[in-house]
Amino acid sequence: MNDAFDRRLFLQGAVSLSTLIALGLPAAAFADEGALTFGPAEPFSFDGLVDRARKLATEAYVPAEKPAADITSKLTYEELGKIKFKTEDALWANGPAPFPVTFFHLGTFFQKKVTINVVDGKNASEIIYRKSSFDMPADSPAQALPDGVGFAGFRFQEPRTGPIDWKKNDWVAFLGASYFRAIGELYQYGLSARGLAVNAADPNPPHQEEFPDFKEFWLEPVAGSTNQVKVYALLDGPSVAGAFSFLMTRDKAVLMDIDAHVFTRNDINRFGLTPLTSMYWFSETIKQTAIDWRPEVHDSDGLAMWTGGGEHIWRPLNNVPATTTSAFIDSNPRGFGLLQRDRIFDHYLDGVMYDRRPSLWVEPLAPFGEGQVQLIEIPTDDEIHDNVVAMWVPKDPVKAGQEFNLKYRLHWAADEPFPTNLARVVATRLGNGGHPGQPRPPGLRKFMIEFLGDSLKDLPYGVKPVPVITASRGELSYIFTEAVPDGINGHWRAQFDLQVTGPDPVEMRCYLKLGDKVLSETWLYQYHPF
């Protein structure tokens, strides 16, 4: 279930969670925690952690510690790949929690110390780094590290008693800034989530993007549970501090119930809650000629939204010519997520299994209020960059001294957990406009949107769904629908041409209806003329 080779590296110059989890580092296997060393027991509670974060936000920010940076900077990707955590030193290899815990070593890309504690009742003790817990070459730069420098992060292995070899497979990992991710139903890592996004891709200087850190964690078994574990985290950054609680369930999908208390030190121009981070290079929609041998390369192919008003929306992703932010205003959304809908291997042909990448859905467990789902798309010319962010942004400006409490559930699954009964968009295709056998006018673009669903299966013979199409500018023509001639009942496509001049983006909208009855979800698309 670990990626053999996941080429993603950075988001806007910051190292993302995906860098070392899935770029070929060995999946360590761990056993008995008897060899681990622990610090003294200290009282711990989540309420106390919230109080600590609240107080921290009133104090000057102190950057996370980078112990022995002169040594960890020498631990390149290649050097780090030679370092393996010893199986005999795993936490909880024999209980009480069902999931053994393994640890990531500090290195070039992850030089900040992350303190990791284990909770026992009302107390917690730090797990002390010892290089003797890692197998490493005799000439590794890490040999010079002293005990106690800390870890870079951790991951949960599969359950000891399950059918999968826990020593070689993990299902959740926390690594880098506030990034974390999990596998879905198809046993594959892909996109990431993070605690907060602060001024992400903000075009207004001096609002530089910040990457707050989960600087300390507490791991706790769930009494009597065979498929759950708890994680608590302290977040700290230049403009924020926060306390997070994760109740994580290893089921068919991976579920995370998150209770976040966030406190602001400074005014924040773009305050992104529940941020999701993914990669989209190209798909069947638009692909430059011979840019790559594969038909498609992406971790996610669209943003799905279930609005507070009940509308289901699908917005295909773009590889944009310049960084673009799209805002979808809503009140108390029922959910949104970055999905991988295309599950056909032949559409990717790559051994890194893009067809199995998880979809990630945000389900509010308490009202989000008024705000926007914001989608940030950043240009990329390779698959190594995380270039897509989706997040919830509150309506009102965020000022220093504010407190936010957010409760939500993350679904790491194969599909969105609450799919509509309406027909869904399964492909968006672009081409030259006009009619076959006739000259193709410049600036005329053809759009073909494919819909699939039960609502389109039982249409009377000769009856076609009606496309309802709007565009923010330009002229629409040659509009019609037809059944896709592949023998699949309920598979239809809407076609239209758009004539537009100038480089400015065009916002488009389309859905299918019959009479007053809506038959499909709503397709939104931002077209960049080329």
Side-chain angles (χ1 to χ4, degrees):
M1 76 185 55
N2 294 324
D3 301 358
F5 181 54
D6 181 352
R7 306 168 182 90
R8 181 187 321 115
L9 287 176
F10 303 105
L11 174 65
Q12 289 200 312
V15 180
S16 78
L17 167 67
S18 50
T19 305
L20 295 184
I21 297 175
L23 285 175
L25 287 184
F30 308 99
D32 192 340
E33 69 266 29
L36 293 177
T37 300
F38 299 90
E42 301 284 349
F44 174 78
S45 70
F46 184 57
D47 288 342
L49 182 60
V50 173
D51 290 341
R52 180 178 168 187
R54 181 183 291 110
K55 182 176 183 296
L56 190 62
T58 66
E59 302 169 352
Y61 170 66
V62 178
E65 181 184 357
K66 293 183 178 180
D70 57 329
I71 299 175
T72 58
S73 63
K74 299 175 184 177
L75 293 174
T76 62
Y77 168 72
E78 290 76 15
E79 289 291 340
L80 206 55
K82 303 173 185 177
I83 300 175
K84 303 177 182 180
F85 196 90
K86 293 180 179 178
T87 58
E88 60 268 24
D89 283 7
L91 177 70
W92 296 339
N94 296 313
F99 311 107
V101 182
T102 69
F103 303 95
F104 291 106
H105 200 282
L106 294 169
T108 299
F109 299 121
F110 302 101
Q111 296 186 25
K112 297 177 182 178
K113 174 184 178 179
V114 175
T115 301
I116 303 173
N117 307 275
V118 60
V119 178
D120 183 8
K122 295 182 179 181
N123 294 311
S125 302
E126 180 183 354
I127 303 169
I128 307 299
Y129 166 88
R130 296 188 311 161
K131 63 175 177 287
S132 60
S133 291
F134 291 86
D135 282 322
M136 61 181 71
D139 60 351
S140 172
Q143 291 285 2
L145 286 172
D147 288 345
V149 298
F151 303 98
F154 65 96
R155 54 187 169 186
F156 287 104
Q157 305 297 121
E158 291 284 14
R160 297 181 310 278
T161 58
I164 299 173
D165 184 357
W166 68 266
K167 297 179 180 181
K168 298 179 181 179
N169 297 278
D170 54 296
W171 61 281
V172 167
F174 287 78
L175 179 65
S178 67
Y179 286 86
F180 57 97
R181 67 176 184 169
I183 63 172
E185 298 173 49
L186 304 177
Y187 295 92
Q188 186 70 31
Y189 279 119
L191 78 170
S192 304
R194 45 179 163 157
L196 285 177
V198 178
N199 294 330
D202 193 326
N204 302 310
H207 302 116
Q208 297 296 317
E209 182 164 8
E210 300 174 8
F211 292 86
D213 295 299
F214 281 145
K215 62 190 304 181
E216 189 165 0
F217 292 96
W218 292 260
L219 315 180
E220 181 180 27
V222 175
S225 176
T226 60
N227 69 341
Q228 290 184 317
V229 68
K230 283 186 176 180
V231 173
Y232 307 96
L234 177 66
L235 181 134
D236 196 19
S239 297
V240 293
F244 285 69
S245 169
F246 300 80
L247 174 61
M248 302 195 297
T249 304
R250 178 71 177 104
D251 208 334
K252 181 180 180 181
V254 173
L255 304 178
M256 297 182 180
D257 287 9
I258 299 175
D259 184 0
H261 298 253
V262 179
F263 309 91
T264 57
R265 281 191 176 93
N266 302 316
D267 297 353
I268 298 175
N269 193 54
R270 180 176 284 172
F271 189 54
L273 302 170
T274 73
L276 317 178
T277 300
S278 192
M279 180 275 294
Y280 174 89
W281 187 11
F282 59 86
S283 68
E284 77 277 342
T285 302
I286 299 177
K287 177 187 175 182
Q288 292 175 269
T289 302
I291 190 173
D292 192 85
W293 62 271
R294 294 160 295 180
E296 302 185 38
V297 176
H298 50 79
D299 280 340
S300 307
D301 51 13
L303 168 66
M305 292 172 280
W306 188 14
T307 70
E311 184 179 19
H312 287 266
I313 295 172
W314 176 251
R315 163 57 157 82
L317 297 178
N318 271 319
N319 188 353
V320 290
T323 298
T324 303
T325 300
S326 301
F328 307 93
I329 298 173
D330 202 357
S331 178
N332 295 321
R334 303 185 189 188
F336 67 91
L338 291 173
L339 309 186
Q340 185 79 312
R341 279 190 174 175
D342 191 335
R343 295 295 183 190
I344 301 175
F345 173 79
D346 288 350
H347 291 184
Y348 304 94
L349 299 175
D350 197 326
V352 300
M353 302 302 176
Y354 284 118
D355 58 301
R356 289 166 43 187
R357 300 296 166 108
S359 296
L360 180 51
W361 183 263
V362 178
E363 176 194 357
L365 299 180
F368 276 15
E370 294 184 277
Q372 305 172 350
V373 175
Q374 288 195 2
L375 174 66
I376 299 171
E377 294 166 302
I378 302 168
T380 188
D381 59 2
D382 207 334
E383 65 204 281
I384 65 171
H385 304 290
D386 282 340
N387 66 318
V388 176
V389 179
M391 59 191 182
W392 177 253
V393 178
K395 176 184 177 181
D396 296 327
V398 174
K399 302 296 183 182
Q402 286 188 258
E403 177 178 346
F404 295 84
N405 181 207
L406 210 64
K407 296 185 179 184
Y408 59 100
R409 176 174 295 151
L410 294 181
H411 299 254
W412 306 78
D415 198 359
E416 58 191 285
F418 309 104
T420 176
N421 292 325
L422 301 173
R424 300 203 298 171
V425 178
V426 294
T428 300
R429 307 180 193 277
L430 275 66
N432 291 328
H435 297 261
Q438 298 181 11
R440 302 300 176 102
L444 188 64
R445 186 63 58 194
K446 185 177 298 296
F447 290 82
M448 196 80 73
I449 311 163
E450 295 184 16
F451 296 88
L452 177 65
D454 291 344
S455 62
L456 298 174
K457 284 184 176 180
D458 299 321
L459 298 177
Y461 179 78
V463 174
K464 295 183 177 182
V466 177
V468 180
I469 306 168
T470 59
S472 61
R473 65 188 190 90
E475 182 179 349
L476 299 170
S477 63
Y478 197 26
I479 302 171
F480 66 91
T481 59
E482 64 179 1
V484 178
D486 59 359
I488 299 176
N489 193 16
H491 192 187
W492 285 75
R493 58 192 177 202
Q495 174 180 309
F496 63 92
D497 285 358
L498 174 70
Q499 179 71 59
V500 66
T501 59
D504 293 340
V506 183
E507 300 290 347
M508 293 184 292
R509 181 183 182 94
C510 175
Y511 66 92
L512 302 181
K513 72 171 187 176
L514 188 62
D516 294 331
K517 184 179 180 181
V518 175
L519 300 179
S520 76
E521 67 181 1
T522 301
W523 171 87
L524 300 182
Y525 190 69
Q526 185 180 77
Y527 170 55
H528 295 262
F530 57 92

